[in-house]
Amino acid sequence: QVHLVESGGGSVQSGGSLRLSCAASGVTSATMGWFRQAPNKEREGVAAIDEAGTTDYAVAVKGRFTISRDHGQNILYLQMDGLRPEDTAMYYCGADPGLRPPSWLLQHFAKYHNSWGQGTQVTVSS
């Protein structure tokens, strides 16, 4: 069973940076992604990466966020720079052992997946 634990969130001012981590267990290979949910909004895809390192990003974060993974430690990262108040949300990671493309995770995973970790809160003040 896949188990994901997110960490690294916090409160920063606009323009600041944070790095999120997601420790994964129970999965040997997967396309992985970061998702976020703001109050009164649906969960949305932020960034995704496949086993080969191919990435995809939501338009809203492209050029500011960088997703990466450490296969040896089985950890997923999200480096967030140039943070804006609209980035404020609870951030979650997800894993797709079906190895679907990163673009699929961004667009569809959140709609079909119903088992999430506790997430990590990111709050950006202006």
Side-chain angles (χ1 to χ4, degrees), residues 13 21-22 37 40 87 98 100 108:
Q13 291 191 326
S21 299
C22 170
Q37 187 168 22
N40 301 315
D87 295 317
R100 281 169 282 210
H108 302 296

Side-chain angles (χ1 to χ4, degrees), residues 2-119:
V2 178
H3 186 57
L4 304 171
V5 179
E6 303 92 343
S7 62
S11 296
V12 297
Q13 291 191 326
S14 184
S17 298
L18 285 172
R19 188 174 84 153
L20 306 184
S21 299
C22 170
S25 60
V27 57
T28 54
S29 61
T31 302
M32 299 192 70
W34 285 98
F35 304 82
R36 67 186 181 187
Q37 187 168 22
N40 301 315
K41 291 190 175 181
E42 292 187 349
R43 202 180 319 246
E44 62 179 0
V46 174
I49 184 169
D50 67 11
E51 285 285 323
T54 300
T55 59
D56 200 2
Y57 297 90
V59 172
V61 307
K62 193 171 291 186
R64 300 187 296 122
F65 292 10
T66 303
I67 189 171
S68 62
R69 63 194 300 175
D70 182 329
H71 285 280
Q73 298 291 325
N74 217 5
I75 299 176
L76 180 72
Y77 298 102
L78 185 68
Q79 177 66 41
M80 305 187 295
D81 299 314
L83 282 161
R84 304 168 180 169
E86 53 264 40
D87 295 317
T88 294
M90 187 72 79
Y91 283 70
Y92 304 86
C93 61
D96 175 29
L99 300 174
R100 281 169 282 210
S103 58
W104 189 92
L105 252 72
L106 286 186
Q107 296 173 39
H108 302 296
F109 186 83
K111 290 183 286 188
Y112 298 107
H113 189 67
N114 56 15
S115 178
W116 299 91
Q118 85 286 352

